[in-house]
Amino acid sequence: MDHKEGQYKVADLSLADAGRMRIEWAESRMPVLMKLREEYSKTQPFKGYKITGCLHVTKETAVLIETLKACGAEVAWSGCNPLSTNDSVSAALALGPNGDGDGVEIYAWYGQDTEDFYWCIDRTIDKTPDTTLDDGADLIFRVHSAFPEKTKDIIGGSEETTTGVHRLRAMAEDGKLGYPVYAVNDAETKWDFDNVYGTGQSTIDGILRASSVLIAGKNFVVAGYGHCGRGVAMRAKGMGANVIVTEVKATAALKATLDGMRVMPMEEAAKVGDIFVTATGMKDIIRGEHFLSMKEGAIVCNTGHYDVELNLQELAEVSTDARMIRDDNREYTMENGKKVYVLADGRLVNLAAAEGHPSEVMDMSFANQLQAHLALIRSHEAGEEMENTVLDLPEELDQEIAEIKLETMGLSIDKLTDEQVVYATDYSAGT
Amino acid sequence: MDHKEGQYKVADLSLADAGRMRIEWAESRMPVLMKLREEYSKTQPFKGYKITGCLHVTKETAVLIETLKACGAEVAWSGCNPLSTNDSVSAALALGPNGDGDGVEIYAWYGQDTEDFYWCIDRTIDKTPDTTLDDGADLIFRVHSAFPEKTKDIIGGSEETTTGVHRLRAMAEDGKLGYPVYAVNDAETKWDFDNVYGTGQSTIDGILRASSVLIAGKNFVVAGYGHCGRGVAMRAKGMGANVIVTEVKATAALKATLDGMRVMPMEEAAKVGDIFVTATGMKDIIRGEHFLSMKEGAIVCNTGHYDVELNLQELAEVSTDARMIRDDNREYTMENGKKVYVLADGRLVNLAAAEGHPSEVMDMSFANQLQAHLALIRSHEAGEEMENTVLDLPEELDQEIAEIKLETMGLSIDKLTDEQVVYATDYSAGT
Amino acid sequence: MDHKEGQYKVADLSLADAGRMRIEWAESRMPVLMKLREEYSKTQPFKGYKITGCLHVTKETAVLIETLKACGAEVAWSGCNPLSTNDSVSAALALGPNGDGDGVEIYAWYGQDTEDFYWCIDRTIDKTPDTTLDDGADLIFRVHSAFPEKTKDIIGGSEETTTGVHRLRAMAEDGKLGYPVYAVNDAETKWDFDNVYGTGQSTIDGILRASSVLIAGKNFVVAGYGHCGRGVAMRAKGMGANVIVTEVKATAALKATLDGMRVMPMEEAAKVGDIFVTATGMKDIIRGEHFLSMKEGAIVCNTGHYDVELNLQELAEVSTDARMIRDDNREYTMENGKKVYVLADGRLVNLAAAEGHPSEVMDMSFANQLQAHLALIRSHEAGEEMENTVLDLPEELDQEIAEIKLETMGLSIDKLTDEQVVYATDYSAGT
Amino acid sequence: MDHKEGQYKVADLSLADAGRMRIEWAESRMPVLMKLREEYSKTQPFKGYKITGCLHVTKETAVLIETLKACGAEVAWSGCNPLSTNDSVSAALALGPNGDGDGVEIYAWYGQDTEDFYWCIDRTIDKTPDTTLDDGADLIFRVHSAFPEKTKDIIGGSEETTTGVHRLRAMAEDGKLGYPVYAVNDAETKWDFDNVYGTGQSTIDGILRASSVLIAGKNFVVAGYGHCGRGVAMRAKGMGANVIVTEVKATAALKATLDGMRVMPMEEAAKVGDIFVTATGMKDIIRGEHFLSMKEGAIVCNTGHYDVELNLQELAEVSTDARMIRDDNREYTMENGKKVYVLADGRLVNLAAAEGHPSEVMDMSFANQLQAHLALIRSHEAGEEMENTVLDLPEELDQEIAEIKLETMGLSIDKLTDEQVVYATDYSAGT
């Protein structure tokens, strides 16, 4: 472990060169964020502000972090999951773009225990942040629970995930939220891209890297048919699987059915599934009794934010043996003699076993993150009152981000003519 | 034409038997609406009220109409499109379920001119309705423009389509809406099913009936990637087409791209397309210059509500000849010598050339319609003040309708355990 | 019925104009056949020969017939299925392209009984044909069984279908085939296009026209996963169904599984299916016990050549009532109280309820037919000995036909360089 | 490098435990081969014979090798590609199932040069094999070119790939093949599964591991639409790409079109593609001029057997710089300033960057290999004359293998009734 107090704690600084190339690779696939970097590095809107983040330390996050820095911010960062940090990337971030040590404050390595996890977060809070940037809301919860006095000095925050936003809304409704938070997840250019196409592909990627099994012809069970679950189901189908969906929400179940998936309760799905992925944001989706009813050789994983969707404690209780059979793939031999395989110990398989969402979708998600923090700083500087609640980014922003994205992809679209603009709101025209 | 004043004007009463069988067929595919009919025919919530509707006279609409009647309503109806009435169904409605003349007031036949169209609507307004039910908002606009004094006696209305809701919102914002209207279209169990799966399939169906061409291998251009356009694109792809999408909205264009479609402006798409479908809600999507640049033999149609999406006047101006080559398929020979084929004269091809949306999706849309009118009557009877604006149906209703639908399909889903319910709002749980 | 001895017997000559327009429509979608017509109408290779055909009288077949005639042949034709003749097309064929009576000898109308069926075939045999052209082998079987003495005067024949070729091979192996027959079905540009994409789309089309049900979300059972069955399954999946395949062949079943379909025996599929299509070429695929185990409202049809795949006699025996509920859709009420719906009385649903395969695929199939008869005549004129067996068309022909097709679609492909040509057969090059 | 003369030369014996677990994982996914192992290990059909193989040393191949050994064979093995050996697997093979050194003769490691490559092959030939087992025909070519005198002692061989079979047929036609070779590739249970579903998935897998880019929304160019190319195209489409196919064969190009792909020459495809995969079996598919016309950031790889499909020498000539940016991903900066990324240095990306075909498909391919060698030995022992040509495995074998596979997947299918069996060959039944 390489540790320099107040600056970084990462696994191995010698990995920095490899990490730097990964970051460059990501930069080449994130044109929207790079364009915003170019623009705002001139005006330095974050000059004098400290942005603290807690979000998977991947090559894409590195592009966000270095963009924030390029636009003037002082940045401190921790990973938001014990198994999602890429050690080469964290090393490169610590040493900075030129490898000369002019990096950002970063505390992150792959394979942490809970104590490590909070130690890292706490280090990023040491100097009070002006804004916080979350993925799963652990940083913001930590500030509220362990450093409540700091909330009043914080201008605002942002949250990346469905799960996190869901919880922050509950907290706000309860009057417990200490500062305003932008629901970056709820921007259309985030949830309708990152969650669907990003989670879809990267989950398949994670499963393949950890198991290398043929997807075609498999009964592929997806728990949850929200944006993430739909993305996973769509891609599993695209790889030739027969997809089964479990749900608790009737409208989602119906959509899955009309999309050609089979719908059934987990109790039944457990018996016929070959591969299982949970994407619900809920705990205890696959429990001891489900594991016991599975077929020999079933593969089970989770792509939801927290590692609570698979109840591995119950699995351990009904197992007589467990061993790692390959990276990110643990074989449990159950008391009934059957074996099941759990990938990435129930943590998000796309980040632990693969590289998380592709750069191309993080490009838009992180453009929204950048914009959220710009909005917080602007409101602050304009002296605007912001309620301590969960805020939405303006919808125009989605069109702006999407327009840049299309442009960078070399695609152009139509524009309304003047007459069409008039027609759009002319309620007198009829049949 | 069979006409009985104050009771009906339909094409041919002798078609009633065929129409009755069509209605029975639809009933067998609309279990949600039939279940609601069974329930509310006992309590007669519409007793003493007159519901006036203006909506495509199809076998599915007949099931809605007869359900309203069975639940106590007096009903008067007109079609909402000159080419969408099924003459056998209107005959059956006029004569009633037993064919004894105990039908509903109905003024509708296939192939109307504008004068006919408004004559029919006006007949349904003659006796002032208590509530109005619209698809495209023609009835409500007619009430407001031609019989403004009647608006004050009307409890409320409902609207079925994206286009109609869009216009009513503009009208309400302008302070011109004379009574409250439920946006049935905006119910999730309507727009995320009817518009996607219904329009998708029925548009392909209409194209096949009117042209019988192979879809596979064609460049299939879809203008608009809203719910309807996405449904059409998805099905065209499912039939083997290479799909091109034109859009004015960047986020929609980007989604189309990530769904594997090609995106380009209509100017370019016009040159390479084999089949064109407009689904935008906007006028003048395909204009004279586009038609002129098309390939020999291009097939062009519209599935949006109004017939303004194709500018057929401009096409006529650049054409030297036009003839019907088969039902719903008009061949234009253009001045450049090339031929293009316009289906259903630019009116919604799914209703004019096929049978509109399948019963299974109208089942849910019309369950929402029934619920909207129940809500209007209940509020009225409870003496509640309702603003003259566009109202949303409660979200719980979606789950209710979807649950009934799943049940009638023989599907069951999971239920949250008590512990999971607690977890759902527990923002203290973390990584 | 319009009948002129030795010339035609068709349903109604007044339909000729509508039929002529249908034929013109087909011509515009069959560029390969039209190009061959242009070429060979100059050289008149069929001058002095009589070609007798027995093949579905559709608009596409009309293009083939009139091409044969334009290339010099005398033609006599009957339909090869009691429910597949388009009466407007047969009328147009009788009257000829100019409507002046200079048509072809044709005996065909929609809705024949067995006696009619063979009467028509026999009329086409009256004057001994030089070559026979079959779809299902009924003409050739009739010649062999009823007019065996004529076989020695016949140069050869051709057969369009998998089923027909299968039987002719059995006959040839048995030494009972009286003249050589080209297996047009076995040309790659036939079976790998017509059977897959043609049957796939047209079967869905037939089901929609006869029932108008939503395909999405349905359990769609396809019996047989040969080329036709795979085409149907692929398109049903493309329309959002969950597809179940039944098979007797293990390799086919395995492919279906890896294509994401579910595989099970018919006994199980019968219980869960919503829509059933048979495409096996085998009899008694769906029997009395299967019908009895179906869900209320199940829809059942066949797209295989003969009407033996559904055992409708057994269905009738277990039914208490039957009525036509709409065109091509018969409702059976079974003794267990449940209703099932049989489309097109078990005859090929794509031809009986829709228009058969799209022109674009028949274009290639019929180009092969033309080439088969050219080959027969050429061999005959060259005095070549041809064995009385089932012959394959030369493979180069497939590339020729496909090249013309691509060209007419405006598509170009790569050519091997000289060095690549050398490499192609250079077995000395290694890793 | 660990080397024991006459026994093994592998990268690192200490990797054996990891390799053994990989092999166990593969065994659990290869039930057909394991069932055959169980059966034939009792009868020891290979007792006294030496089987020499040259085939990618993966976990699946290890299962084949150890099956051959379990059935009595003496085995010697080399890898058939410089970049496809898994070093942990080769170590495990060297040490044997119990890790006690009772392994097979194996000469294979990742990252060989040409000299190494042939050294390994030669070691396996040192003691003359009774049968040879090839993937790409390098072993058999080596025997013929370097040890021609040994061919007369060799009973026969087998070949795994399209490319290899193609060359062996050319060789046999030229009268240069020294012993009979079974075309394992041409067994339906091999080419219609392994080549399609195996190559399809594993190529996507390789691209993701080497680049981690989003597939959705990309222009994905597949050169070649044979079985492998079709598999790749299908999966790329399933991941949301817009697929472009280049071909030299008209029928294949047409099929690609009807499958919804775009078809164009490489010259055009090069300009618009984002990701390129070659799967042609031909050399120089992507040449210098193509690379130069590519978009900034294009990703290029090959999944065909030999590394000749991309002309990397020409790329090097037009490049000013090259560097590895991550594993299996080399960035070339071209003279026009643009960068392109070549994966796995043009060697089969699925084996070099991922793990090759999934165990589930290799299960069937290798069951065919086992059967081929059983057939060779049986013919030899029966004293049957075998021509020195390329032989096909009997078709019944496909059904046997597929039946076992279905059974191990828990799937059952229909059986023909006696009456159906009769009908199958009854050519007297008609319409």
Side-chain angles (χ1 to χ4, degrees), chain B residues 35-50:
Chain B
K35 184 166 176 174
L36 294 172
R37 182 193 288 189
E38 194 191 342
E39 183 179 341
Y40 290 111
S41 60
K42 293 176 195 148
T43 54
Q44 297 281 307
F46 295 131
K47 191 85 191 174
Y49 294 99
K50 183 181 177 198

Side-chain angles (χ1 to χ4, degrees), chain B residues 183-201:
Chain B
V184 166
N185 178 75
D186 294 3
E188 188 186 358
T189 41
K190 198 278 173 181
W191 65 261
D192 218 5
F193 292 89
D194 180 324
N195 304 21
V196 178
Y197 308 98
T199 307
Q201 173 174 310

Side-chain angles (χ1 to χ4, degrees), chain A residues 71-115:
Chain A
C71 301
E74 183 185 351
V75 180
W77 214 266
S78 66
C80 66
N81 184 291
L83 294 187
S84 70
T85 292
N86 182 303
D87 283 328
S88 73
V89 168
S90 58
L93 283 168
L95 293 189
N98 304 317
D100 58 4
D102 184 24
V104 298
E105 227 184 303
I106 176 137
Y107 309 93
W109 59 92
Y110 178 89
Q112 304 186 325
D113 60 20
T114 304
E115 196 181 338

Side-chain angles (χ1 to χ4, degrees), chain A residues 138 167 188 192 255 429 431, chain B residues 138 167 188 192 255 429 431:
Chain A
D138 279 316
R167 299 190 163 204
E188 189 186 357
D192 218 6
K255 269 176 234 181
T431 293
Chain B
D138 279 317
R167 297 190 165 203
E188 188 186 358
D192 218 5
K255 269 176 237 181
T431 293

Side-chain angles (χ1 to χ4, degrees), chain A residues 162-209:
Chain A
T162 312
T163 300
V165 167
H166 179 79
R167 299 190 163 204
L168 289 167
R169 286 197 198 283
M171 202 171 161
E173 259 175 48
D174 223 17
K176 298 286 167 57
L177 191 61
Y179 52 83
V181 182
Y182 272 107
V184 166
N185 177 73
D186 294 3
E188 189 186 357
T189 42
K190 198 278 174 182
W191 65 260
D192 218 6
F193 292 89
D194 179 323
N195 304 22
V196 179
Y197 308 100
T199 307
Q201 173 174 311
S202 61
T203 300
I204 298 294
D205 191 4
I207 293 170
L208 290 181
R209 295 198 201 194

Side-chain angles (χ1 to χ4, degrees), chain A residues 297-318:
Chain A
I299 294 170
V300 186
C301 64
N302 164 53
T303 200
H305 183 76
Y306 294 118
D307 68 339
V308 299
E309 310 209 5
L310 312 181
N311 193 323
L312 295 182
Q313 194 180 327
E314 290 186 13
L315 173 58
E317 285 164 11
V318 299

Side-chain angles (χ1 to χ4, degrees), chain D residues 247-263:
Chain D
E247 251 297 343
V248 293
K249 199 174 167 189
T251 45
L254 202 48
K255 268 176 237 182
T257 305
L258 295 196
D259 285 340
M261 319 293 174
R262 279 193 285 165
V263 166

